[in-house]
Each structure stands twice: as C-alpha cells, then as structure tokens.
Amino acid sequence: MYGWIWRHLPGPLPVRIFEALLLISAVVALLLFVVFPWIEPRLPFNQVTTG
C-alpha cells in the first residue's frame, strides 16, 4: 500500500518526501482531532468500578 502511494506521488525525490510528510501529518491530525474524540466515549474503559 505504501509503495503504491509513493509511486503515485508526483515530483522529484525532495518533493515526494515533503508530500509524504504532509500526508502523514494530515492523517495524524484527522485521527487526533476527529476520530479519537468521536470514538472515546464509546470505549468501555470509562466504566471502571471498584467493589
């Protein structure tokens, strides 16, 4: 999968590296600011009880 993405990035090597870093940053930002906050209340780790 990563090879397919790398082969389809346009430009010479420095531009490809910059684009790959930009894509990785976008995915991390999407996960941190959208996906993880959405899924956090649905996880069972918040219902901790001690008896």
Side-chain angles (χ1 to χ4, degrees), residues 20-50:
L21 291 174
L22 191 66
L23 282 173
I24 291 168
S25 300
V27 168
V28 168
L30 180 70
L31 286 172
L32 286 175
F33 296 117
V34 177
V35 175
F36 294 153
W38 174 78
I39 202 160
E40 191 268 333
R42 293 163 177 78
L43 294 175
F45 306 124
N46 290 338
Q47 291 112 14
V48 177
T49 58
T50 57

